[in-house]
């Protein structure tokens, strides 16, 4: 089995870094597993309590990003990730070389979850891993803090949005079980009635001031079906990053999720990528056809074999046909200054339908321009980021 990636995501303070530290030491101590390859993507963390093979802080100085770009803490995290994302191919290349030496590549993400999950660079980084290795999301939850049913549901909705956004297998990891066991959460996820009961109790306990009051409880009730569907796609486990409890189970679930990735998610992802490519090709063909049509160069076959030049092209209009279109201005005789590069044209000629290779030339020019445009765009983005 080759290397698989585990990306740790979770709300601020849920214990991602401590979880990473424990997972790292657990894997190192286990005779059944190889040491993990560890990546830190949190540019703002002061101290990384595990030895990282790749650390975003080595290449990007968070404080400098804040100063140079005059950004606040979150803006600086996003910008640091943007800068890092420009190098992601190199990072993936490095990890790929370790494919045989490691079983797991574990990735820590910034404390501010939205900076990673909802940023373009977060998506690029996740996508890059997911398209190269089987990739699983470990969504870390602070169990004691989620014992209120409404806080729990908000957290689950967040996890749900990540699942649907990344389209990757997900494990919900209830952390800090040394403080509070996660049984209540498993129960709520398996049996929606028990969750509704918890909301009713919360309401009774806290009255109208309680989070479970009125509007919230009816919102939660109406979301029950959606949440049930979401829970059915997940695996969950309870761990304590302090004591190491539950980590064996977590690793078993990772193996299961990697199989799931290979059997289902990979095929689904490839289908989606293929579909996108086809759509993109269709869009390009359409704009090329539009261009050809505008130039009066559409395929003759498209005219049902009618070789008569019946399509309205600029040259036709010049004849002064009464076609209801706008008449030319008085500057009729003035030759247009623009022309198509490399085209040998006769004076005043607008469309030369007799040139047999013209369509081919336009096709080449179109492809050339779109290639040039995309590399120019990439260069512009890189220049902008460097500035
Ligand atoms: N009791 C207990 N505390 C934990 C556990 N895991 C983490 N903590 C504590 O939770 C707090 C947050 O842990 P971190 O690992 O810094 O959490 P984080 O999600 O990486 O934090 P940010 O990156 O700042 O968002 C720290 O005080 C940890 O000591 C655990 O399993 N049990």
């Amino acid at each position: 089995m080759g290397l698989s990636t585990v990306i740790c995501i979770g709300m601020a303070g849920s214990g991602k870094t401590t979880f990473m530290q424990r997972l790292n030491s657990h894997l190192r101590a286990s005779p059944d597993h190889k040491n993990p390859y560890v990546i830190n993507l949190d540019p703002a963390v002061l101290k990384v309590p595990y030895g990282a093979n790749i650390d975003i802080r080595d290449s990007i100085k968070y404080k400098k990003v804040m100063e140079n770009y005059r950004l606040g803490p979150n803006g600086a995290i996003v910008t640091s990730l943007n800068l890092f994302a420009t190098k992601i191919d190199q990072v993936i290349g490095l990890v790929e070389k370790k494919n045989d030496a490691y079983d797991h590549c574990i990735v820590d993400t910034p404390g501010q979850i939205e900076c990673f999950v909802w940023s373009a660079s977060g998506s690029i980084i996740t996508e890059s891993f997911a398209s190269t290795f089987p990739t699983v999301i470990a969504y870390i939850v602070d169990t004691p803090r989620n014992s209120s049913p409404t806080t729990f549901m908000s957290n689950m909705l967040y996890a749900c949005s990540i699942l649907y956004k990344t389209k990757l297998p997900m494990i919900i990891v209830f952390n800090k079980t040394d403080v509070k066991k996660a049984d209540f959460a498993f129960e709520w996820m398996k049996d929606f009635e028990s969750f509704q009961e918890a909301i009713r109790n919360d309401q009774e306990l806290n009255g109208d001031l309680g989070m479970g009051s009125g509007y919230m409880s009816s919102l939660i009730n109406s979301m029950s079906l959606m949440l049930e569907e979401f829970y059915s796609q997940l695996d969950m486990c309870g761990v304590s990053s302090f004591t190491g409890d539950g980590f064996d189970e977590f690793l078993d679930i990772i193996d299961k999720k990697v199989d799931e990735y290979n059997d289902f998610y990979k095929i689904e992802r490839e289908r989606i990528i293929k579909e996108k490519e086809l759509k993109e090709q269709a869009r390009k063909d359409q704009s090329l056809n539009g261009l050809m049509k505008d130039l009066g160069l559409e395929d003759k076959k498209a005219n049902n074999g009618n070789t008569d030049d019946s399509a309205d092209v600029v040259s036709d209009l010049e004849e002064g046909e009464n076609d209801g279109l706008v008449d030319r201005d008085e500057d009729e005789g003035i030759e247009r200054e623009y022309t198509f590069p490399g085209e040998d044209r006769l004076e005043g000629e607008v469309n030369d339908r007799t040139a047999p290779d013209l369509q081919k030339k336009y096709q080449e020019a179109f492809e050339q321009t779109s290639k040039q445009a995309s590399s120019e765009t990439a260069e512009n983005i890189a220049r902008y980021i460097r500035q």
Side-chain angles (χ1 to χ4, degrees):
M1 200 171 81
L3 183 143
S4 56
T5 313
V6 181
I7 303 181
C8 298
I9 297 180
M11 298 276 180
S14 55
K16 295 177 291 295
T17 308
T18 320
F19 174 80
M20 284 278 295
Q21 184 185 14
R22 172 60 70 178
L23 185 57
N24 182 27
S25 59
H26 192 87
L27 284 168
R28 280 172 187 277
S30 163
D32 302 334
H33 293 100
K34 293 180 186 163
N35 294 348
Y37 194 81
V38 187
I39 300 182
N40 170 45
L41 291 185
D42 188 350
V45 70
L46 284 179
K47 203 168 170 287
V48 175
Y50 44 81
N53 298 77
I54 295 177
D55 191 337
I56 186 172
R57 298 173 313 153
D58 292 341
S59 44
I60 289 134
K61 303 292 169 211
Y62 171 70
K63 287 214 168 130
K64 282 263 176 285
V65 171
M66 265 177 117
E67 282 166 20
N68 292 354
Y69 297 87
R70 301 208 182 124
L71 292 167
N74 289 343
I77 292 177
V78 174
T79 306
S80 302
L81 283 172
N82 285 344
L83 293 166
F84 190 78
T86 61
K87 306 272 178 225
I88 192 66
D89 287 349
Q90 290 173 28
V91 174
I92 297 288
L94 283 173
V95 184
E96 252 183 324
K97 281 190 198 144
K98 315 283 175 177
N99 206 356
D100 297 331
Y102 294 87
D103 283 343
H104 300 98
C105 168
I106 55 178
V107 184
D108 196 5
T109 58
Q112 304 305 321
I113 188 171
E114 63 279 15
C115 295
F116 185 77
V117 172
W118 299 112
S119 66
S121 43
S123 304
I124 290 169
I125 293 169
T126 311
E127 269 302 306
S128 304
F129 277 109
S131 51
T132 319
F133 313 103
T135 301
V136 178
I137 303 285
Y139 187 79
I140 318 288
V141 177
D142 182 329
T143 314
R145 277 218 218 150
N146 281 267
S147 51
S148 140
T150 39
T151 314
F152 177 80
M153 198 199 68
S154 307
N155 213 335
M156 289 305 106
L157 286 179
Y158 214 104
C160 177
S161 65
I162 294 171
L163 178 86
Y164 292 139
K165 184 170 192 295
T166 58
K167 297 179 189 71
L168 288 170
M170 181 183 270
I171 307 171
I172 305 274
V173 181
F174 290 97
N175 190 24
K176 311 191 186 180
T177 51
D178 54 302
V179 178
K180 186 167 175 69
K181 290 261 172 267
D183 299 350
F184 73 92
F186 301 152
E187 183 68 26
W188 286 350
M189 290 167 94
K190 277 191 204 115
D191 175 8
F192 203 77
E193 291 208 344
S194 74
F195 183 59
Q196 283 173 316
E197 199 184 318
I199 290 169
R200 273 195 301 276
N201 292 343
D202 189 51
Q203 199 169 353
E204 275 168 25
L205 205 66
N206 298 300
D208 279 346
L209 295 172
M211 293 278 277
S213 64
Y215 176 74
M216 272 305 269
S217 61
S218 70
L219 175 72
I220 289 164
N221 284 338
S222 57
M223 283 186 168
S224 57
L225 272 180
M226 191 271 284
L227 281 173
E228 265 184 332
E229 163 71 21
F230 166 59
Y231 294 152
S232 70
Q233 299 178 41
L234 296 175
D235 274 81
M236 54 207 104
C237 67
V239 301
S240 165
S241 303
F242 272 8
T243 64
D245 200 36
F247 274 79
D248 282 331
E249 192 197 348
F250 172 77
L251 287 169
D252 288 346
I253 299 177
I254 288 286
D255 290 347
K256 180 183 158 204
K257 285 290 177 192
V258 168
D259 290 345
E260 233 175 69
Y261 175 95
N262 288 325
D263 295 345
F264 173 70
Y265 285 87
K266 192 170 168 215
I267 298 162
E268 185 61 10
R269 290 177 69 79
E270 282 167 0
R271 189 189 63 77
I272 292 169
I273 290 167
K274 187 98 199 127
E275 206 175 276
K276 266 193 193 163
E277 276 172 10
L278 287 175
K279 270 192 191 153
E280 180 59 16
Q281 191 54 48
R283 190 192 61 75
K284 276 189 189 161
D285 288 350
Q286 205 183 3
S287 58
L288 176 64
N289 286 342
L291 176 72
M292 302 307 276
K293 204 171 171 191
D294 286 350
L295 296 168
L297 289 168
E298 71 269 74
D299 194 346
K300 298 260 169 23
K301 274 181 247 153
N303 291 337
N304 297 329
N306 181 8
T307 47
D308 163 20
D309 294 349
S310 59
D312 279 341
V313 292
V314 183
S315 51
D316 289 342
L317 300 179
E318 281 173 14
E319 305 296 327
E321 283 176 19
N322 184 14
D323 49 12
L325 295 176
V326 184
D327 283 343
R328 301 266 318 250
D329 282 340
E330 283 167 359
D331 65 349
E332 191 82 44
I334 299 173
E335 206 188 329
R336 294 277 179 259
E337 280 184 8
Y338 60 81
T339 181
F340 295 96
E343 219 40 73
D344 295 325
R345 289 177 169 274
L346 300 171
E347 206 181 336
E349 180 189 1
V350 180
N351 280 310
D352 183 5
R353 288 164 180 244
T354 56
D357 60 345
L358 207 54
Q359 177 142 353
K360 195 167 150 257
K361 283 188 182 174
Y362 283 127
Q363 172 91 38
E364 283 165 3
F366 179 78
E367 278 167 8
Q368 184 71 24
T369 319
S370 58
K371 260 188 227 156
Q372 221 172 331
S374 66
S375 73
E376 269 172 23
T377 315
E379 268 172 36
N380 286 343
I381 291 171
R383 205 174 308 126
Y384 174 76
I385 288 171
R386 263 187 243 115
Q387 275 171 7

mmCIF file of all heavy atoms in Angstrom, residues 10-19 42 45 108-112 142 175-179 239-243, ligand 1:
data_model
loop_
_atom_site.group_PDB
_atom_site.id
_atom_site.type_symbol
_atom_site.label_atom_id
_atom_site.label_comp_id
_atom_site.label_asym_id
_atom_site.label_seq_id
_atom_site.Cartn_x
_atom_site.Cartn_y
_atom_site.Cartn_z
ATOM 1 N N GLY A 10 -10.040 21.596 11.821
ATOM 2 C CA GLY A 10 -10.921 21.725 12.986
ATOM 3 C C GLY A 10 -10.974 23.162 13.463
ATOM 4 O O GLY A 10 -10.118 23.980 13.106
ATOM 5 N N MET A 11 -11.990 23.462 14.264
ATOM 6 C CA MET A 11 -12.160 24.823 14.798
ATOM 7 C C MET A 11 -10.942 25.189 15.657
ATOM 8 O O MET A 11 -10.263 24.297 16.190
ATOM 9 C CB MET A 11 -13.409 24.877 15.678
ATOM 10 C CG MET A 11 -14.686 24.564 14.957
ATOM 11 S SD MET A 11 -15.287 26.028 14.148
ATOM 12 C CE MET A 11 -16.763 25.403 13.382
ATOM 13 N N ALA A 12 -10.732 26.485 15.840
ATOM 14 C CA ALA A 12 -9.622 26.960 16.668
ATOM 15 C C ALA A 12 -9.724 26.348 18.067
ATOM 16 O O ALA A 12 -10.804 26.327 18.664
ATOM 17 C CB ALA A 12 -9.658 28.478 16.758
ATOM 18 N N GLY A 13 -8.636 25.816 18.543
ATOM 19 C CA GLY A 13 -8.600 25.259 19.898
ATOM 20 C C GLY A 13 -9.149 23.854 20.018
ATOM 21 O O GLY A 13 -9.216 23.305 21.123
ATOM 22 N N SER A 14 -9.526 23.234 18.891
ATOM 23 C CA SER A 14 -10.095 21.881 18.980
ATOM 24 C C SER A 14 -9.007 20.854 19.327
ATOM 25 O O SER A 14 -9.322 19.745 19.747
ATOM 26 C CB SER A 14 -10.782 21.505 17.665
ATOM 27 O OG SER A 14 -9.876 21.650 16.602
ATOM 28 N N GLY A 15 -7.747 21.255 19.132
ATOM 29 C CA GLY A 15 -6.647 20.353 19.504
ATOM 30 C C GLY A 15 -5.945 19.726 18.318
ATOM 31 O O GLY A 15 -5.323 18.663 18.468
ATOM 32 N N LYS A 16 -5.978 20.391 17.162
ATOM 33 C CA LYS A 16 -5.346 19.826 15.947
ATOM 34 C C LYS A 16 -3.852 19.563 16.160
ATOM 35 O O LYS A 16 -3.350 18.488 15.855
ATOM 36 C CB LYS A 16 -5.491 20.804 14.762
ATOM 37 C CG LYS A 16 -6.902 21.033 14.309
ATOM 38 C CD LYS A 16 -6.965 22.056 13.203
ATOM 39 C CE LYS A 16 -6.629 23.471 13.649
ATOM 40 N NZ LYS A 16 -7.564 24.049 14.591
ATOM 41 N N THR A 17 -3.173 20.594 16.702
ATOM 42 C CA THR A 17 -1.723 20.462 16.833
ATOM 43 C C THR A 17 -1.363 19.370 17.836
ATOM 44 O O THR A 17 -0.475 18.549 17.582
ATOM 45 C CB THR A 17 -1.130 21.824 17.254
ATOM 46 O OG1 THR A 17 -1.615 22.799 16.325
ATOM 47 C CG2 THR A 17 0.373 21.816 17.240
ATOM 48 N N THR A 18 -2.090 19.330 18.951
ATOM 49 C CA THR A 18 -1.818 18.292 19.960
ATOM 50 C C THR A 18 -2.151 16.916 19.378
ATOM 51 O O THR A 18 -1.443 15.934 19.619
ATOM 52 C CB THR A 18 -2.659 18.556 21.232
ATOM 53 O OG1 THR A 18 -2.682 19.954 21.479
ATOM 54 C CG2 THR A 18 -2.121 17.839 22.433
ATOM 55 N N PHE A 19 -3.224 16.864 18.579
ATOM 56 C CA PHE A 19 -3.614 15.615 17.926
ATOM 57 C C PHE A 19 -2.505 15.146 16.977
ATOM 58 O O PHE A 19 -2.130 13.966 16.965
ATOM 59 C CB PHE A 19 -4.927 15.834 17.165
ATOM 60 C CG PHE A 19 -5.366 14.670 16.344
ATOM 61 C CD1 PHE A 19 -6.009 13.581 16.922
ATOM 62 C CD2 PHE A 19 -5.118 14.631 14.970
ATOM 63 C CE1 PHE A 19 -6.395 12.491 16.157
ATOM 64 C CE2 PHE A 19 -5.505 13.552 14.209
ATOM 65 C CZ PHE A 19 -6.142 12.481 14.801
ATOM 66 N N ASP A 42 0.358 25.621 9.184
ATOM 67 C CA ASP A 42 -0.086 26.766 9.987
ATOM 68 C C ASP A 42 1.067 27.769 10.079
ATOM 69 O O ASP A 42 2.036 27.540 10.800
ATOM 70 C CB ASP A 42 -0.503 26.280 11.387
ATOM 71 C CG ASP A 42 -1.163 27.387 12.201
ATOM 72 O OD1 ASP A 42 -1.110 28.546 11.743
ATOM 73 O OD2 ASP A 42 -1.721 27.095 13.268
ATOM 74 N N VAL A 45 1.620 29.559 13.819
ATOM 75 C CA VAL A 45 1.888 28.854 15.071
ATOM 76 C C VAL A 45 3.312 29.192 15.553
ATOM 77 O O VAL A 45 4.247 29.317 14.759
ATOM 78 C CB VAL A 45 1.682 27.322 14.888
ATOM 79 C CG1 VAL A 45 2.763 26.710 14.016
ATOM 80 C CG2 VAL A 45 1.611 26.614 16.214
ATOM 81 N N ASP A 108 -1.076 19.356 9.199
ATOM 82 C CA ASP A 108 -1.755 20.248 10.152
ATOM 83 C C ASP A 108 -2.150 21.526 9.407
ATOM 84 O O ASP A 108 -1.398 22.007 8.552
ATOM 85 C CB ASP A 108 -0.785 20.600 11.298
ATOM 86 C CG ASP A 108 -1.517 21.195 12.502
ATOM 87 O OD1 ASP A 108 -2.759 21.248 12.489
ATOM 88 O OD2 ASP A 108 -0.825 21.599 13.472
ATOM 89 N N THR A 109 -3.316 22.074 9.712
ATOM 90 C CA THR A 109 -3.803 23.267 9.000
ATOM 91 C C THR A 109 -3.950 24.442 9.979
ATOM 92 O O THR A 109 -3.957 24.231 11.198
ATOM 93 C CB THR A 109 -5.164 22.971 8.332
ATOM 94 O OG1 THR A 109 -6.085 22.567 9.349
ATOM 95 C CG2 THR A 109 -5.044 21.889 7.276
ATOM 96 N N PRO A 110 -4.106 25.666 9.469
ATOM 97 C CA PRO A 110 -4.181 26.822 10.364
ATOM 98 C C PRO A 110 -5.339 26.740 11.355
ATOM 99 O O PRO A 110 -6.388 26.152 11.061
ATOM 100 C CB PRO A 110 -4.410 27.999 9.411
ATOM 101 C CG PRO A 110 -3.907 27.528 8.103
ATOM 102 C CD PRO A 110 -4.144 26.067 8.059
ATOM 103 N N GLY A 111 -5.125 27.358 12.518
ATOM 104 C CA GLY A 111 -6.142 27.364 13.562
ATOM 105 C C GLY A 111 -7.441 28.006 13.098
ATOM 106 O O GLY A 111 -8.522 27.543 13.442
ATOM 107 N N GLN A 112 -7.323 29.054 12.300
ATOM 108 C CA GLN A 112 -8.535 29.708 11.777
ATOM 109 C C GLN A 112 -9.027 28.869 10.602
ATOM 110 O O GLN A 112 -8.541 28.999 9.480
ATOM 111 C CB GLN A 112 -8.245 31.149 11.331
ATOM 112 C CG GLN A 112 -7.628 32.018 12.405
ATOM 113 C CD GLN A 112 -8.467 32.055 13.669
ATOM 114 O OE1 GLN A 112 -9.695 32.095 13.615
ATOM 115 N NE2 GLN A 112 -7.821 32.008 14.827
ATOM 116 N N ASP A 142 -13.687 19.491 19.520
ATOM 117 C CA ASP A 142 -13.453 19.618 20.961
ATOM 118 C C ASP A 142 -14.695 19.061 21.671
ATOM 119 O O ASP A 142 -15.736 19.722 21.730
ATOM 120 C CB ASP A 142 -13.254 21.112 21.281
ATOM 121 C CG ASP A 142 -12.946 21.358 22.746
ATOM 122 O OD1 ASP A 142 -13.417 20.588 23.600
ATOM 123 O OD2 ASP A 142 -12.259 22.353 23.032
ATOM 124 N N ASN A 175 -12.108 14.792 20.037
ATOM 125 C CA ASN A 175 -10.872 14.868 20.812
ATOM 126 C C ASN A 175 -11.192 15.217 22.277
ATOM 127 O O ASN A 175 -12.306 15.605 22.611
ATOM 128 C CB ASN A 175 -9.972 15.951 20.183
ATOM 129 C CG ASN A 175 -8.574 15.951 20.750
ATOM 130 O OD1 ASN A 175 -8.094 14.939 21.271
ATOM 131 N ND2 ASN A 175 -7.906 17.092 20.675
ATOM 132 N N LYS A 176 -10.211 15.092 23.119
ATOM 133 C CA LYS A 176 -10.290 15.450 24.543
ATOM 134 C C LYS A 176 -11.262 14.553 25.311
ATOM 135 O O LYS A 176 -11.994 15.012 26.195
ATOM 136 C CB LYS A 176 -10.679 16.927 24.731
ATOM 137 C CG LYS A 176 -9.851 17.894 23.875
ATOM 138 C CD LYS A 176 -10.042 19.338 24.252
ATOM 139 C CE LYS A 176 -9.323 20.265 23.278
ATOM 140 N NZ LYS A 176 -9.430 21.661 23.540
ATOM 141 N N THR A 177 -11.297 13.274 24.940
ATOM 142 C CA THR A 177 -12.219 12.363 25.624
ATOM 143 C C THR A 177 -11.766 12.062 27.063
ATOM 144 O O THR A 177 -12.503 11.444 27.819
ATOM 145 C CB THR A 177 -12.368 11.031 24.861
ATOM 146 O OG1 THR A 177 -11.065 10.535 24.600
ATOM 147 C CG2 THR A 177 -13.116 11.202 23.561
ATOM 148 N N ASP A 178 -10.542 12.481 27.411
ATOM 149 C CA ASP A 178 -10.122 12.352 28.820
ATOM 150 C C ASP A 178 -10.942 13.297 29.697
ATOM 151 O O ASP A 178 -11.118 13.052 30.894
ATOM 152 C CB ASP A 178 -8.622 12.654 28.972
ATOM 153 C CG ASP A 178 -8.228 13.994 28.384
ATOM 154 O OD1 ASP A 178 -8.458 14.194 27.159
ATOM 155 O OD2 ASP A 178 -7.728 14.841 29.078
ATOM 156 N N VAL A 179 -11.492 14.354 29.095
ATOM 157 C CA VAL A 179 -12.320 15.298 29.864
ATOM 158 C C VAL A 179 -13.788 14.892 29.783
ATOM 159 O O VAL A 179 -14.498 14.895 30.782
ATOM 160 C CB VAL A 179 -12.151 16.744 29.321
ATOM 161 C CG1 VAL A 179 -13.032 17.722 30.085
ATOM 162 C CG2 VAL A 179 -10.698 17.170 29.365
ATOM 163 N N VAL A 239 -11.027 10.245 20.700
ATOM 164 C CA VAL A 239 -9.608 10.107 21.065
ATOM 165 C C VAL A 239 -9.260 11.096 22.174
ATOM 166 O O VAL A 239 -9.973 12.088 22.374
ATOM 167 C CB VAL A 239 -8.644 10.388 19.871
ATOM 168 C CG1 VAL A 239 -8.882 9.474 18.709
ATOM 169 C CG2 VAL A 239 -8.718 11.838 19.440
ATOM 170 N N SER A 240 -8.182 10.802 22.854
ATOM 171 C CA SER A 240 -7.596 11.795 23.744
ATOM 172 C C SER A 240 -6.158 12.013 23.297
ATOM 173 O O SER A 240 -5.348 11.077 23.342
ATOM 174 C CB SER A 240 -7.622 11.326 25.198
ATOM 175 O OG SER A 240 -6.746 12.156 25.944
ATOM 176 N N SER A 241 -5.886 13.234 22.858
ATOM 177 C CA SER A 241 -4.515 13.524 22.423
ATOM 178 C C SER A 241 -3.577 13.589 23.623
ATOM 179 O O SER A 241 -2.359 13.503 23.452
ATOM 180 C CB SER A 241 -4.462 14.844 21.652
ATOM 181 O OG SER A 241 -5.330 14.794 20.575
ATOM 182 N N PHE A 242 -4.147 13.712 24.807
ATOM 183 C CA PHE A 242 -3.313 13.720 26.019
ATOM 184 C C PHE A 242 -2.877 12.309 26.396
ATOM 185 O O PHE A 242 -1.707 12.065 26.645
ATOM 186 C CB PHE A 242 -4.069 14.363 27.193
ATOM 187 C CG PHE A 242 -3.892 15.858 27.272
ATOM 188 C CD1 PHE A 242 -3.249 16.574 26.272
ATOM 189 C CD2 PHE A 242 -4.366 16.576 28.375
ATOM 190 C CE1 PHE A 242 -3.083 17.947 26.340
ATOM 191 C CE2 PHE A 242 -4.204 17.951 28.455
ATOM 192 C CZ PHE A 242 -3.568 18.636 27.431
ATOM 193 N N THR A 243 -3.854 11.378 26.424
ATOM 194 C CA THR A 243 -3.520 10.033 26.896
ATOM 195 C C THR A 243 -3.176 9.059 25.763
ATOM 196 O O THR A 243 -2.603 8.002 26.003
ATOM 197 C CB THR A 243 -4.709 9.425 27.679
ATOM 198 O OG1 THR A 243 -5.793 9.278 26.750
ATOM 199 C CG2 THR A 243 -5.142 10.323 28.841
HETATM 200 N N1 LIG B 1 -7.684 17.668 28.061
HETATM 201 C C1 LIG B 1 -7.243 17.726 26.833
HETATM 202 N N2 LIG B 1 -6.808 18.869 26.320
HETATM 203 C C2 LIG B 1 -6.346 18.890 25.055
HETATM 204 C C3 LIG B 1 -6.324 17.727 24.265
HETATM 205 N N3 LIG B 1 -5.836 18.066 23.039
HETATM 206 C C4 LIG B 1 -5.548 19.377 23.088
HETATM 207 N N4 LIG B 1 -5.855 19.884 24.300
HETATM 208 C C5 LIG B 1 -5.684 21.270 24.727
HETATM 209 O O1 LIG B 1 -6.500 22.101 23.903
HETATM 210 C C6 LIG B 1 -5.855 23.349 23.696
HETATM 211 C C7 LIG B 1 -5.752 23.616 22.220
HETATM 212 O O2 LIG B 1 -4.904 22.635 21.638
HETATM 213 P P1 LIG B 1 -4.113 22.887 20.299
HETATM 214 O O3 LIG B 1 -3.463 21.611 19.943
HETATM 215 O O4 LIG B 1 -3.268 24.088 20.403
HETATM 216 O O5 LIG B 1 -5.333 23.181 19.345
HETATM 217 P P2 LIG B 1 -5.326 23.703 17.853
HETATM 218 O O6 LIG B 1 -6.602 23.281 17.261
HETATM 219 O O7 LIG B 1 -4.077 23.285 17.160
HETATM 220 O O8 LIG B 1 -5.272 25.228 18.130
HETATM 221 P P3 LIG B 1 -5.141 26.401 17.051
HETATM 222 O O9 LIG B 1 -4.176 25.923 16.021
HETATM 223 O O10 LIG B 1 -4.631 27.541 17.873
HETATM 224 O O11 LIG B 1 -6.495 26.608 16.564
HETATM 225 C C8 LIG B 1 -4.497 23.248 24.387
HETATM 226 O O12 LIG B 1 -4.597 23.854 25.624
HETATM 227 C C9 LIG B 1 -4.274 21.761 24.526
HETATM 228 O O13 LIG B 1 -3.473 21.448 25.641
HETATM 229 C C10 LIG B 1 -6.810 16.502 24.845
HETATM 230 O O14 LIG B 1 -6.858 15.434 24.233
HETATM 231 N N5 LIG B 1 -7.248 16.569 26.127
#
